[in-house]
Amino acid sequence: FKSEIKKEGLIDNYVYMKKCVESNPIVPIQKEWLENMLKLVPEALMKGRASEALVEDLIEEVTSDFVKSMKRYMVRSVLVRPPVSWLEDEGGPLPVSPEGLDYSQPWHDSYIQARNQIAENLHILHPTLRTLLDLGYSTFANILLLDLTGFRAKGPMDCESLRNDVSIGARKTEEKLMNTWYPKVINIFTKKEVLEDIKPEKLESFYNCVSTLMSNQLRDLLKRTVEGFVSLFDPEDKKWLPIFKMELTFDDEKMEFYPTFQDMQDIVGGVVDRIGETLQNVQTVHSWLSGAPTTQNLSNELPDHLVDWAVNALGDAVNLNLQGPKEHYDEYVQKYSWLIDGTAKEQIEKFQSENHTFDEYTELIEDFLNLSKEIMLLPQLAHFPMIRLDCDDLKEGLVNKVKSFANLLLNDIATKHRNENLSICCEFENIKDHALKVPDTTEEMMDLINYVETARTKGVQKLALRIQESQRRMNYFLDVFIFPPDDLELNACVLLWPQNINPVFNDNDDLIENAKRKGETELVAKREKLILEVEKATRRMEEFTEYAELERMQQYVTDVRVLQKRIQEAEDTVNFINKEEALFKWEQTKYPELDKLKVSVEPYQKFFSFILKWQRTEKRWMDGGFLDLNGESMESDVDEFFREVYKSLRFFQLKQKKEAMEKRKAAGRRSITEEKIEEDIKENPTVAMCSAVMEQIKSFKVGDPVPQDCESSSVSP
C-alpha cells in the first residue's frame, strides 16, 4: 500500500514538472531551415495560388511539429520519466495506473554503458568523421548520378540512346566524384593529427567506421538517383517523362512493335542495374593509405528491396504508358488484319475462279487501290506521353501488300487482254493468209471468194468491235499498269489491223482475177484434151474386133482392163470439167461417145475374161490329180461355160449383123440378102473365136481329142 501511494505521488510530481518545463519559452525554427526543406519540394508543386496556400499550410505544420518536438526534447532532457507508457499522453484525465510494473530497473547504468560502447567502437563523435560527413553532405546533397531533367529535353530517343546516355552520364559523374570528392577524402586522412587520439588497437575499427560512412553516402546517392529516375515515370507528373521512339513494323506478314514491349521494359528497368553498377570500385581509405597490392573497395550495392521496387514501379509505369500505342496497334489489326491472315488471298482466288467481266475486275482493283490510298493518308507518327510511334514501315508494308493484290488482279486481266489481242491478231493473220493464198483449183478459188466476202462484210466488223473493246481496256491500263515493250507493240498492232487489212483485200481481188483467167484457160485445155483421149480410146476399142489368137487371151484381158481404166479416168475428167463449168457458170458439155465407148468395151471384157477362165479351168482339170476331179461338178461347169460362150457368140453375131446393116444403109444399098449378111458375120474374128471355144468345150465334154486347128496360134476365118 505504501508503495502504491509513493508511485502515485511520483506520477503526480512528474506530470506537474512536465507542465512547468513545457511552459518555458522555445527558440523558434530558423528561416534557413524552412528554405532548405522547401528545396526538397518539386518545383511543379510550388507554382499557382493553390500551391502557395499548400506551402503556407506546410510551413505552419512544420513549425508546429518543431515546437512540439522541442518541448518533448526539453521534457526528456530535464525530467526522468518513469517507465510508464501512458505518461506520454497529452491532456485529458490521468489513466488508471497499471499494476505489476517494475520501476526498480536502473536506466542510467545502461545508458552509460551504451554511450561508452559508441564512443569506443563507432567513433561517431570523432571530429574527422564529422568533417567527412560535412564533405559528403556538401558534395552529394545537390547532385545525382544522372541529369534526370535532360532526358525529355532531348526529344524522342531510341532505347539504345537511353542506355548509352545513362552509361555516359553515370561514368562522367563517377569520374567527377573520383577526381574531386575522393581526393578530398584522402586529404582528410593524410594529416597526422587525425589519428593522434586513436589507439592502435582501435585503428581498424576507426577505418571501418570511415568505410561505412562513405558507403552510406555513396549508397544514398545511388538510392536518390534511382528514386529520381523512377519519379520521371510518375503517372501524375509527366513533366520530365522521357520520350522513346517505337515503330510499327511489317515483317514476315506480321504487324509488330519494334522494340517490343518486353524490350522496352528490360531497357528501362536496366537503367536501375546500370545505376547500381556505378561507384562500385571506390577504394577504401585504409586500403589506399596502406598501398596494399590487393585493393579493397567500399560496399555500395543497392538494397535488393529497392531494386525490386524500382523495377516493378518502372514496369508498371511502362505498361501504363504503352496502353496508347497498344490501342493504336489494335486499330490497325482491326482494320487491316484481313490483308495478311489469308482472308484477302482467299477472296481473290475465289474471284479469279469465277467468270467475271473486265469492269468487275476493275471495280475490285479500284477498291484495293483506294484502300492503299487510305492507308497512305494515315498519320505517319502517333504521339503519346512516353512514346513517339512511327508507323511508316507498317504503312509501307500494308500498302505494298494491298498493291500486290491489286497487281495480281491487274496481271490477271492484263494476261486476258494480251490473249484477246493475240486472238484478234491471229484472226487477222488467218484472214490475210487465207486471202493471199493462191488457189490451186477452181473450187478453192470459189471458196476463197466466199471466205473473203464473208470476212469483208461480217468478220472484220466483229473484229472491229473487239478492237474497240480492247482500246477501252488499253485506256484503263495506261493509268494503272506498265506494259512491257512486247505488249506495247502488240497493242499497236491490234489498233492498226483495221487499216492494214484493206490492202490485203485489194491484193485478193487481183489474185482472184488472175486465178479466174488461169482456171478458164486450163478448163478449155482439159476439154480439148478429153476429146482427144476419147477418140484415142475409140480407136483402141476398134482394135478388139481384130483379136483372134486364143493363146494371147491373157494379154487381151489386160488390154481391155487398161482401156477401161482410161475410160474411168475420162469419166472423172468429165465430172471435173462439169464441176468447173458449174463454178464458172458455163454451159455443161456432154460426151456421148464416152458413154457409148463404155458400153461397147464391156462385152469384150466379159468375153475375154470368160475364155481365160475356161482355159485355166481346162488346164487344171487336165494337168491336175485325177482323184481330185468331181464328175458331176465338172459337167455342170462345162455346161455353164458352153452357155456363156454361146451367149457371147449370139451377142457378137447380132452386133455384127446390126453394124453391117447400118453400113449398107449408109452406103445406099437398099437390097441386102440374108446370105450376104451371114457371110459378113462369119468373117468376124471375135465370132470365130467364140465358135472355136465352143468346139473345144464340145470335144472336152464328149471326150474327143481337141482338133489341132483349134490349138493353133490363130483362128482362121
Side-chain angles (χ1 to χ4, degrees):
F1 179 74
K2 289 181 180 180
S3 61
E4 290 295 330
I5 295 174
K6 183 178 179 181
K7 186 188 301 182
E8 291 179 2
L10 290 174
I11 293 173
D12 294 340
N13 187 30
Y14 174 78
V15 173
Y16 172 76
M17 294 180 67
K18 178 182 177 183
K19 290 181 180 179
C20 294
V21 172
E22 288 178 349
S23 63
N24 291 332
I26 302 298
V27 178
I29 188 170
Q30 299 182 17
K31 184 178 181 181
E32 58 182 10
W33 294 359
L34 294 175
E35 292 177 354
N36 291 333
M37 293 179 187
L38 291 176
K39 290 181 180 179
L40 300 177
V41 180
E43 294 183 5
L45 300 178
M46 298 288 290
K47 297 179 180 180
R49 294 181 179 178
S51 298
E52 293 177 357
L54 290 175
V55 170
E56 292 178 358
D57 294 340
L58 177 61
I59 292 175
E60 292 179 359
E61 181 178 355
V62 170
T63 303
S64 175
D65 291 341
F66 176 77
V67 172
K68 292 180 180 179
S69 298
M70 292 302 295
K71 289 182 179 181
R72 190 177 303 112
Y73 174 76
M74 290 175 63
V75 171
R76 291 181 179 180
S77 299
V78 176
L79 299 179
V80 177
R81 180 182 64 83
V84 180
S85 60
W86 51 265
L87 288 177
E88 294 295 330
D89 295 339
E90 298 179 357
L94 292 176
V96 178
S97 177
E99 298 179 357
L101 295 180
D102 186 8
Y103 295 94
S104 63
Q105 287 188 355
W107 56 269
H108 187 266
D109 294 340
S110 62
Y111 166 74
I112 296 300
Q113 182 181 1
R115 187 181 67 178
N116 293 334
Q117 290 179 352
I118 292 173
E120 182 179 2
N121 297 321
L122 293 183
H123 309 281
I124 59 174
L125 301 180
H126 196 280
T128 305
L129 293 183
R130 292 182 59 85
T131 303
L132 178 62
L133 182 63
D134 293 338
L135 176 61
Y137 182 79
S138 62
T139 303
F140 302 125
N142 297 320
I143 68 167
L144 297 175
L145 281 178
L146 304 175
D147 181 12
L148 301 179
T149 62
F151 291 122
R152 190 174 184 87
K154 292 181 179 180
M157 57 182 173
D158 52 32
C159 295
E160 290 298 327
S161 297
L162 173 66
R163 183 178 299 171
N164 294 335
D165 291 346
V166 170
S167 299
I168 294 173
R171 185 170 63 251
K172 287 183 177 180
T173 304
E174 182 178 7
E175 292 176 355
K176 179 180 179 181
L177 291 177
M178 296 305 295
N179 293 327
T180 57
W181 167 76
Y182 192 73
K184 293 180 181 180
V185 172
I186 297 299
N187 187 45
I188 293 174
F189 292 94
T190 55
K191 298 177 181 180
K192 295 181 179 181
E193 61 272 13
V194 172
L195 304 177
E196 289 180 351
D197 56 347
I198 299 178
K199 299 177 181 180
E201 64 273 13
K202 298 298 181 179
L203 187 61
E204 182 178 357
S205 174
F206 175 76
Y207 280 117
N208 289 338
C209 185
V210 171
S211 298
T212 302
L213 179 58
M214 294 174 64
S215 297
N216 290 338
Q217 290 177 336
L218 295 177
R219 189 180 294 112
D220 180 69
L221 175 63
L222 299 179
K223 175 177 177 294
R224 287 188 290 109
T225 303
V226 170
E227 292 174 347
F229 183 75
V230 173
S231 66
L232 297 180
F233 295 84
D234 186 358
E236 298 181 359
D237 182 14
K238 300 180 180 180
K239 179 180 180 181
W240 306 110
L241 181 65
I243 302 177
F244 296 98
K245 295 179 182 178
M246 290 191 74
E247 295 183 20
L248 281 177
T249 62
F250 184 81
D251 187 21
D252 195 20
E253 301 295 320
K254 294 180 180 178
M255 295 186 289
E256 297 177 337
F257 280 98
Y258 178 80
T260 63
F261 287 3
Q262 186 61 45
D263 292 340
M264 181 66 69
Q265 288 184 348
D266 293 342
I267 291 173
V268 174
V271 174
V272 177
D273 296 333
R274 182 63 188 92
I275 294 173
E277 295 171 358
T278 310
L279 296 173
Q280 298 303 312
N281 296 320
V282 180
Q283 191 174 1
T284 62
V285 174
H286 184 61
S287 175
W288 190 93
L289 293 175
S290 63
T294 303
T295 61
Q296 184 179 2
N297 296 328
L298 297 175
S299 177
N300 305 327
E301 294 84 0
L302 287 172
D304 293 338
H305 68 88
L306 176 65
V307 175
D308 294 339
W309 166 80
V311 171
N312 293 333
L314 290 173
D316 295 340
V318 169
N319 285 332
L320 180 62
N321 284 283
L322 289 177
Q323 290 302 314
K326 179 65 168 57
E327 294 175 358
H328 194 73
Y329 166 81
D330 291 339
E331 292 180 3
Y332 274 95
V333 172
Q334 181 180 0
K335 291 183 179 179
Y336 308 114
S337 61
W338 65 279
L339 295 172
I340 57 179
D341 62 3
T343 303
K345 186 176 181 181
E346 291 178 0
Q347 292 179 358
I348 291 177
E349 290 177 351
K350 180 181 179 182
F351 184 85
Q352 289 177 323
S353 64
E354 300 170 350
N355 187 17
H356 290 278
T357 63
F358 179 82
D359 292 334
E360 291 173 339
Y361 264 93
T362 57
E363 183 178 354
L364 183 57
I365 292 172
E366 287 299 322
D367 290 341
F368 278 107
L369 294 179
N370 291 333
L371 181 59
S372 68
K373 294 178 182 177
E374 173 189 329
I375 297 174
M376 286 296 294
L377 293 176
L378 292 175
Q380 178 180 349
L381 299 175
H383 296 276
F384 301 95
M386 193 186 76
I387 300 296
R388 191 201 70 177
L389 188 61
D390 189 346
C391 308
D392 187 60
D393 185 76
L394 176 59
K395 287 172 53 181
E396 183 178 356
L398 291 175
V399 168
N400 291 336
K401 191 67 176 178
V402 173
K403 288 184 177 180
S404 68
F405 291 138
N407 291 333
L408 184 64
L409 296 172
L410 275 174
N411 290 330
D412 193 3
I413 59 175
T415 300
K416 294 180 180 179
H417 173 74
R418 185 183 305 110
N419 294 336
E420 173 66 9
N421 285 349
L422 289 174
S423 176
I424 294 173
C425 291
C426 183
E427 293 194 23
F428 272 110
E429 289 289 348
N430 290 336
I431 293 174
K432 178 181 177 180
D433 294 342
H434 205 157
L436 297 180
K437 182 181 179 182
V438 179
D440 296 330
T441 63
T442 306
E443 185 177 3
E444 290 182 0
M445 181 186 69
M446 294 302 175
D447 292 341
L448 179 58
I449 293 174
N450 294 332
Y451 175 82
V452 172
E453 183 64 24
T454 302
R456 193 195 301 265
T457 56
K458 295 181 181 179
V460 174
Q461 297 299 325
K462 292 181 180 179
L463 290 173
L465 294 177
R466 293 171 63 183
I467 292 174
Q468 183 178 358
E469 177 63 20
S470 177
Q471 185 176 5
R472 185 178 73 87
R473 293 194 300 267
M474 290 180 202
N475 293 333
Y476 173 77
F477 281 124
L478 290 176
D479 294 333
V480 297
F481 188 75
I482 299 177
F483 283 108
D486 293 342
D487 285 358
L488 292 175
E489 184 176 353
L490 179 61
N491 292 336
C493 181
V494 169
L495 297 177
L496 293 176
W497 260 118
Q499 65 185 37
N500 292 338
I501 199 65
N502 293 326
V504 174
F505 290 145
N506 295 334
D507 293 342
N508 175 263
D509 294 338
D510 298 337
L511 185 148
I512 293 297
E513 188 64 27
N514 295 334
K516 279 185 178 181
R517 287 196 296 267
K518 181 180 177 182
E520 291 174 353
T521 302
E522 291 178 353
L523 180 58
V524 172
K526 284 183 180 294
R527 290 166 68 175
E528 294 175 353
K529 183 179 179 181
L530 179 60
I531 293 173
L532 295 176
E533 290 292 335
V534 172
E535 292 177 354
K536 184 177 179 181
T538 301
R539 289 194 298 270
R540 181 63 177 162
M541 172 63 197
E542 292 174 354
E543 293 177 0
F544 291 164
T545 60
E546 304 297 330
Y547 288 173
E549 299 178 9
L550 292 176
E551 60 186 14
R552 297 182 62 185
M553 195 56 59
Q554 178 65 49
Q555 181 64 38
Y556 296 162
V557 171
T558 302
D559 293 344
V560 171
R561 289 177 179 174
V562 171
L563 181 60
Q564 285 182 324
K565 183 178 180 181
R566 290 180 178 178
I567 293 173
Q568 183 62 41
E569 291 175 352
E571 287 183 339
D572 294 341
T573 303
V574 170
N575 293 333
F576 176 77
I577 291 173
N578 291 335
K579 185 177 180 181
E580 294 285 301
E581 290 171 342
L583 293 175
F584 284 116
K585 298 181 180 180
W586 289 2
E587 184 180 355
Q588 298 282 320
T589 56
K590 305 295 183 181
Y591 298 90
E593 296 84 359
L594 184 61
D595 296 335
K596 182 178 179 182
L597 181 60
K598 182 178 180 181
V599 174
S600 299
V601 77
E602 185 176 355
Y604 287 97
Q605 187 270 339
K606 183 177 181 182
F607 174 64
F608 292 152
S609 298
F610 198 78
I611 292 177
L612 181 61
K613 181 179 180 182
W614 156 250
Q615 290 177 348
R616 291 175 177 174
T617 303
E618 181 189 15
K619 182 175 178 61
R620 186 177 71 252
W621 286 343
M622 297 301 294
D623 299 339
F626 181 77
L627 297 178
D628 295 336
L629 300 177
N630 188 336
E632 294 181 358
S633 62
M634 289 175 59
E635 183 178 4
S636 175
D637 292 340
V638 170
D639 292 340
E640 180 66 23
F641 281 125
F642 186 83
R643 284 193 298 271
E644 291 297 330
V645 173
Y646 180 76
K647 289 180 182 179
S648 299
L649 175 62
R650 294 298 302 167
F651 174 78
F652 287 114
Q653 286 177 345
L654 292 175
K655 178 182 178 184
Q656 189 174 7
K657 182 177 180 180
K658 183 178 179 182
E659 290 177 351
M661 291 180 65
E662 290 178 353
K663 289 180 180 179
R664 306 244 178 201
K665 286 182 180 180
R669 299 173 63 183
R670 303 298 181 182
S671 174
I672 305 175
T673 61
E674 196 69 26
E675 293 78 6
K676 186 63 176 176
I677 295 174
E678 291 295 333
E679 183 180 353
D680 293 338
I681 294 173
K682 291 179 180 179
E683 294 177 355
N684 190 310
T686 305
V687 175
M689 278 196 302
C690 289
S691 299
V693 173
M694 289 179 66
E695 289 298 328
Q696 290 179 3
I697 295 173
K698 287 179 182 181
S699 298
F700 180 82
K701 186 175 183 181
V702 298
D704 294 337
V706 179
Q708 294 294 325
D709 56 345
C710 293
E711 293 180 356
S712 60
S713 61
S714 62
V715 179
S716 59

